[in-house]
Amino acid sequence: MAIAVRSAAGRHALLPPLAPGSSPGAFLFHGCRVLSQRAPGVGPCPARARAASSSATRGGGYLPPLFSVAPMMDWTDNHYRTLARLISKHAWLYTEMVVAETIVHQQDNLDRFLAFPAEQHPIVLQIGGSNLDNLAKATELANAYSYDEINLNCGCPSGRVAGHGCFGARLMFDPEFVGDAMSAIAANCNVPVSVKCRIGVDDCDSYEQLCEFVDKVISKSPTRHFIIHARKALLRGLSPAENRKVPPLKYEYYFALLRDFPDVQFTLNGGITTIDQVSASIRQGAHRVMVGRAAYNNPWNMLGHVDSEVYGMPTRHSSRRQILERYQIYGDSIMGQYGPSRPNVRQLVKIRILLYA
């Protein structure tokens, strides 16, 4: 599996998601009751959804993104994504967030940040930034690598992100800018674009404010896909790890968005740790589901069931040994390809250990 720069390829229409389960009833999820049709205490938002534009993706034969692995800094690098693809053929993979300024200022070294093995398709690039010119230029440069979607980070609460350059979760304070940013990103690529965000930030956490954010973005750009982390972000007083656990999950916000923006696709993220929960949420009407650390910490038990239980397709392996043998081939090729600048052996080995978790 040699890492190669992906060139532009033809598009094909994204397949529609599986039809939701016929029952509109409630399901229990970590003790939180949510309705697939109408969430209790959450009325219709004042802003209505616009008509959706047709979306297309490049490449060939990919199934819809019913299941995806979340972008995680220092985690979802090329090595992990290679392992994930060996286990699941159909899960959609996200890169770590790459800052737009990094792409712009590293034009002579872009492969280090953007190249990936062709086998990793379908794959989404997540970028971060708060400068329109740099976001546009970074997208233009990344477009040559043939990612299947470009995603803007509007949800990370880390001080390294939200506190530097005013991007990440802080962008939710300025939906006008996010709409302009998504318009600039879309104008410089030929694949769908999306936003990953929280349900709110600090005291701006009402459902109406979330609707205003979504409505502004779709009114100013062709964005028709939002990944909703169903917790708000608290930028002061909580660490990034605490922001993944302390703010309560409000799945009712997610399902209300499905009701109020019927022409927009929403991916549910946050608090999902088992493949059974993934399947249950899709049966109850979730368009798509994204899993983060559970897919990283226990890839065999999570990703090993995605193809069969989420997509109804046969798995591509029969044992962990097969996966390890194929991953070793990848590791040997990387070590040989990059010589003295090759990846640290520890980086390659730590991914193998995950299979025994």
Side-chain angles (χ1 to χ4, degrees):
M1 285 189 196
I3 290 186
V5 176
R6 302 290 298 149
S7 60
R11 301 184 189 180
H12 80 284
L14 188 66
L15 296 174
L18 294 179
S22 57
S23 172
F27 71 96
L28 293 176
F29 205 91
H30 283 256
C32 177
R33 187 175 187 267
V34 299
L35 298 180
S36 61
Q37 294 297 316
R38 195 169 188 83
V42 178
C45 72
R48 305 304 300 171
R50 270 66 173 183
S53 62
S54 61
S55 63
T57 187
R58 66 175 86 190
Y62 308 141
L63 294 179
L66 298 176
F67 179 96
S68 56
V69 178
M72 293 175 282
M73 292 294 292
D74 301 322
W75 290 30
T76 51
D77 57 15
N78 255 317
H79 311 315
Y80 170 78
R81 296 196 308 266
T82 294
L83 177 68
R85 182 58 71 223
L86 290 174
I87 300 173
S88 170
K89 179 179 179 180
H90 302 296
W92 282 58
L93 306 178
Y94 279 63
T95 69
E96 303 172 271
M97 183 193 70
V98 184
V99 178
E101 282 71 19
T102 298
I103 298 174
V104 171
H105 298 308
Q106 294 283 339
Q107 294 187 40
D108 295 330
N109 193 26
L110 285 181
D111 281 6
R112 174 185 173 189
F113 303 97
L114 297 177
F116 59 92
E119 291 84 355
Q120 286 185 14
H121 283 294
I123 180 173
V124 179
L125 170 67
Q126 186 183 74
I127 61 176
S130 58
N131 179 284
L132 289 178
D133 291 338
N134 285 337
L135 285 169
K137 183 61 177 177
T139 303
E140 180 184 7
L141 293 169
N143 192 54
Y145 285 78
S146 296
Y147 285 92
D148 300 294
E149 183 173 301
I150 306 294
N151 177 264
L152 179 65
N153 184 332
C154 295
C156 182
S158 171
R160 291 188 299 167
V161 175
H164 178 71
C166 194
F167 61 100
R170 286 188 183 273
L171 290 181
M172 292 194 71
F173 288 130
D174 192 354
E176 186 90 17
F177 171 82
V178 176
D180 291 337
M182 295 310 298
S183 180
I185 291 170
N188 285 278
C189 68
N190 55 359
V191 294
V193 295
S194 61
V195 169
K196 188 175 191 296
C197 63
R198 295 286 183 125
I199 59 172
V201 181
D202 293 339
D203 294 329
C204 297
D205 61 354
S206 71
Y207 178 68
E208 288 73 20
Q209 288 168 312
L210 176 60
C211 284
E212 291 171 4
F213 175 81
V214 172
D215 189 71
K216 179 61 68 174
V217 174
I218 66 175
S219 70
K220 301 194 70 174
S221 75
T223 307
R224 294 299 181 271
H225 177 204
F226 290 79
I227 300 157
I228 305 296
H229 187 146
R231 289 185 175 92
K232 75 173 183 178
L234 290 170
L235 301 183
R236 293 181 296 274
L238 291 183
S239 69
E242 290 170 330
N243 260 294
R244 295 192 295 270
K245 300 176 182 177
V246 175
L249 288 159
K250 294 187 177 180
Y251 294 111
E252 61 268 27
Y253 279 27
Y254 170 83
F255 284 93
L257 288 172
L258 271 60
R259 175 197 68 210
D260 289 327
F261 295 89
D263 297 318
V264 178
Q265 289 290 301
F266 293 98
T267 294
L268 176 62
N269 176 229
I272 300 172
T273 59
T274 69
I275 195 67
D276 288 341
Q277 291 171 343
V278 172
S279 299
S281 63
I282 292 175
R283 286 196 304 269
Q284 292 298 322
H287 293 160
R288 309 164 178 184
V289 176
M290 173 178 280
V291 176
R293 278 150 181 79
Y296 183 91
N297 291 325
N298 201 340
W300 179 258
N301 285 337
M302 176 61 74
L303 298 176
H305 300 284
V306 167
D307 292 356
S308 59
E309 297 197 24
V310 176
Y311 288 96
M313 303 293 287
T315 57
R316 61 191 305 177
H317 57 268
S318 60
S319 69
R320 299 189 198 202
R321 178 178 293 276
Q322 287 181 327
I323 300 298
L324 286 172
E325 289 173 347
R326 295 174 66 185
Y327 185 77
Q328 183 173 352
I329 294 173
Y330 160 78
D332 290 343
S333 71
I334 292 297
M335 298 293 286
Q337 180 178 353
Y338 287 96
S341 62
R342 61 184 178 268
N344 188 306
V345 174
R346 183 175 295 178
Q347 293 176 302
L348 295 169
V349 172
K350 75 173 183 177
I351 304 299
R352 295 176 63 179
I353 293 174
L354 293 173
L355 283 181
Y356 291 102

